[in-house]
Amino acid sequence: MDEAPDVDPQRLERIRRAVREILEAVGEDPDRPGLRETPDRAARMLVEIFAGVHEEPADELTLTYEEGAEDLVVVRDIPLHSMCEHHLLPFMGRVHIAYLPAGGRLTGLSKLARLVQGYARRPQVQERLTNQIADAVEARLRPRGVAVVIEAEHLCMIMRGARAEGSRAVTMAVRGLYERDPAERTAVLALLGHREPRRG
């Protein structure tokens, strides 16, 4: 079978051996016909879905351009697929990002989606992912304000443990103006389709 592109063959082989060991440890026969190619397929898949470990996703925002625009930029419903680092099961959902440019400094809308994908392709927790996206937008674009909302379903809650079918986790991160000004925060979260949670 073809090797995953640009991947150290030794790393792929280590993952193949580890997957085979897991199959044996749960009581399966990795040499039976249905599983014979599984270590190889799983190794190539894991290299792909954890590619963000070897990248700096914030570099997606290096290319910016000055348009003189000072109006709010909102990108909603960016697809999210990631792996929970606690159980190595997927979580999936949507990411909503808003930022208020300063000095007309903008980035391409697709760059925000690539930023999300880069951080998602790591063993993750939703809370950290939300903050990483907000911090990267703040650091690279230096806007007046940033708001990020993630809503996701976690298979570690659905397939095991509580088996909470249909549950969704919602996390929010705000920076700059949206952190300081409650009215502005309420307004931008409404644009992202969410209300600020009650405190106390």
Side-chain angles (χ1 to χ4, degrees):
M1 289 196 174
D2 293 338
E3 295 285 290
D6 302 322
V7 175
D8 178 0
Q10 290 182 329
R11 178 149 45 103
L12 271 175
E13 183 55 34
R14 285 183 66 193
I15 300 171
R16 288 187 193 105
R17 289 197 305 266
V19 172
R20 182 180 174 89
E21 173 65 23
I22 289 170
L23 289 171
E24 291 175 344
V26 299
E28 262 291 0
D29 174 9
D31 292 318
R32 71 173 173 82
L35 290 177
R36 197 171 294 141
E37 302 300 326
T38 296
D40 184 64
R41 286 190 295 258
R44 288 182 284 115
M45 176 207 59
L46 289 167
V47 165
E48 179 182 347
I49 66 176
F50 290 140
V53 170
H54 305 283
E55 299 171 355
E56 178 43 71
D59 287 347
E60 292 292 344
L61 304 183
T62 299
L63 180 61
T64 61
Y65 51 95
E66 308 283 337
E67 283 292 328
E70 299 285 336
D71 297 321
L72 181 66
V73 176
V74 177
V75 181
R76 292 187 52 173
D77 295 318
I78 299 170
L80 166 68
H81 300 89
S82 192
M83 290 284 275
C84 171
E85 67 182 35
H86 296 151
H87 298 97
L88 294 184
L89 284 171
F91 64 95
M92 60 210 72
R94 300 283 171 177
V95 180
H96 316 296
I97 302 173
Y99 72 95
L100 194 59
R105 193 178 303 104
L106 303 171
T107 191
L109 300 179
S110 67
K111 299 296 186 181
L112 295 173
R114 291 183 181 278
L115 175 74
V116 169
Q117 293 167 1
Y119 282 122
R121 290 177 182 159
R122 300 175 172 186
Q124 271 290 8
V125 295
Q126 184 175 331
E127 297 88 342
R128 182 197 307 132
L129 176 60
T130 310
N131 281 286
Q132 286 175 329
I133 295 166
D135 289 342
V137 174
E138 182 180 45
R140 296 301 177 100
L141 301 184
R142 301 190 300 280
R144 287 177 284 158
V146 181
V148 177
V149 175
I150 297 180
E151 46 189 326
E153 292 184 327
H154 292 247
L155 289 191
C156 58
M157 289 181 63
I158 294 171
M159 292 180 65
R160 55 159 302 281
R163 292 194 163 90
E165 188 77 37
S167 64
R168 284 188 315 166
V170 178
T171 49
M172 304 177 186
V174 291
R175 303 288 184 269
L177 175 67
Y178 302 128
E179 195 169 20
R180 298 188 302 269
D181 188 324
E184 292 286 351
R185 180 168 60 247
T186 297
V188 77
L189 290 177
L191 281 173
L192 297 182
H194 289 274
R195 292 179 301 186
E196 185 174 9
R198 292 182 180 177
R199 301 174 189 273

